[in-house]
Amino acid sequence: MRVAREQVDVRMEIPGVIIRQQKDFGSVHGFNRISAEYFTLAAGVDTTELFKGLDHDLCQCPHWGYVLRGTITTTDGHGVTETVHAHDLFHWPAGHNVRVDADAEIVMFSPQHEHSHVIDHMKAKTGG
């Protein structure tokens, strides 16, 4: 799910304050702890090879986040793609790959245990 800032409902606006709220932006039911993550990604990064060996060769962890700058395209297990841009909110359900189209910085919130597993897998694949 991608939501541009302008599409998020304004819930309150007073001088100096605008509050926007996107309701029903995913659920964390069934997960324990959440981690906050800041990613800096170079254009051309593609997780396809990094995720090989995970279930269905895809990241099986959902993420919720915000694009500070750049452009990123995700592809799910059915081949459906979605592109997020600077200032977009996003929800990437479990079962995706990521391709960075333009240098990007994002802030994400992810189930800690599940995403740590994916990060450890990528570290092992890269020797890092």
Side-chain angles (χ1 to χ4, degrees), residues 50 119-128:
L50 291 173
I119 292 169
D120 290 344
H121 177 83
M122 289 189 297
K123 285 173 64 175
K125 297 268 299 185
T126 62

Side-chain angles (χ1 to χ4, degrees), residues 31-35 110-114:
F31 295 105
N32 193 5
R33 303 191 57 82
I34 299 294
S35 61
S110 309
Q112 182 171 301
H113 174 76
E114 289 76 1

Side-chain angles (χ1 to χ4, degrees), residues 34-50:
I34 299 294
S35 61
E37 303 155 347
Y38 185 88
F39 278 55
T40 302
L41 304 160
V45 167
D46 186 326
T47 60
T48 302
E49 291 300 316
L50 291 173

Side-chain angles (χ1 to χ4, degrees):
M1 173 190 301
R2 171 197 168 271
V3 181
R5 178 176 51 190
E6 297 75 24
Q7 294 173 323
V8 178
D9 292 337
V10 174
R11 296 290 312 275
M12 183 177 135
E13 186 170 1
I14 59 175
V17 176
I18 298 174
I19 297 174
R20 296 176 183 268
Q21 182 184 38
Q22 178 66 47
K23 293 185 177 179
D24 300 320
F25 198 63
S27 171
V28 294
H29 178 75
F31 295 105
N32 193 5
R33 303 191 57 82
I34 299 294
S35 61
E37 303 155 347
Y38 185 88
F39 278 55
T40 302
L41 304 160
V45 167
D46 186 326
T47 60
T48 302
E49 291 300 316
L50 291 173
F51 291 165
K52 287 204 178 200
L54 294 172
D55 290 343
H56 305 289
D57 296 331
L58 300 167
C59 177
Q60 295 299 330
C61 180
H63 311 285
W64 296 262
Y66 180 77
V67 182
L68 297 168
R69 69 178 177 94
T71 306
I72 300 171
T73 298
T74 55
T75 304
D76 71 14
H78 303 288
V80 176
T81 62
E82 181 173 73
T83 301
V84 295
H85 308 273
H87 309 296
D88 285 347
L89 294 171
F90 64 85
H91 171 232
W92 296 336
H96 62 271
N97 268 307
V98 174
R99 183 186 75 240
V100 182
D101 304 310
D103 290 351
E105 291 182 73
I106 61 175
V107 174
M108 289 196 318
F109 302 91
S110 309
Q112 182 171 301
H113 174 76
E114 289 76 1
H115 203 215
S116 292
H117 171 72
V118 173
I119 292 169
D120 290 344
H121 177 83
M122 289 189 297
K123 285 173 64 175
K125 297 268 299 185
T126 62

